[in-house]
Amino acid sequence: SKYVSRFHARIDLHKETHALSIKDLGSSAGTRINGKSITENFLKPGDHIKIGKTTLVFLGTNMKQHTLSNIEHRQIWLFYLI
């Protein structure tokens, strides 16, 4: 999409809490969670993430928390594009 920067936002896994956060990387269009502009925000299942004109719904993860700490680079996060 022409409304999404090449490096628009980043999603991070916080190993201590097993939580996911999203951080806007200084994009011109910005990143919104549930209609609010953010610079960084923790994600909860059901959150609507808007990047440019694209909206993703964060559905959660398909793994249990104790499993997340055992896999470094193979995390699976579930999003639904609307």
Side-chain angles (χ1 to χ4, degrees):
S1 168
K2 65 181 180 180
Y3 301 102
V4 178
S5 304
R6 187 172 193 171
F7 298 101
H8 195 104
R10 182 181 72 221
I11 296 176
D12 293 309
L13 170 68
H14 299 264
K15 291 183 182 181
E16 312 79 42
T17 61
H18 305 287
L20 293 177
S21 66
I22 187 167
K23 180 176 184 173
D24 184 82
L25 299 177
S27 65
S28 57
T31 302
R32 301 177 76 78
I33 304 290
N34 302 322
K36 296 180 184 177
S37 185
I38 59 104
T39 53
E40 187 168 8
N41 200 74
F42 282 98
L43 293 173
K44 302 178 303 300
D47 278 349
H48 285 66
I49 305 159
K50 189 162 187 175
I51 298 175
K53 291 191 173 188
T54 301
T55 301
L56 300 167
V57 178
F58 176 57
L59 300 176
T61 176
N62 70 341
M63 293 178 241
K64 296 181 180 177
Q65 287 188 352
H66 69 275
T67 305
L68 285 174
S69 62
N70 297 331
I71 52 174
E72 288 280 322
H73 302 287
R74 294 179 291 164
Q75 295 87 9
I76 298 173
W77 307 315
L78 303 176
F79 293 89
Y80 180 73
L81 178 63
I82 58 172

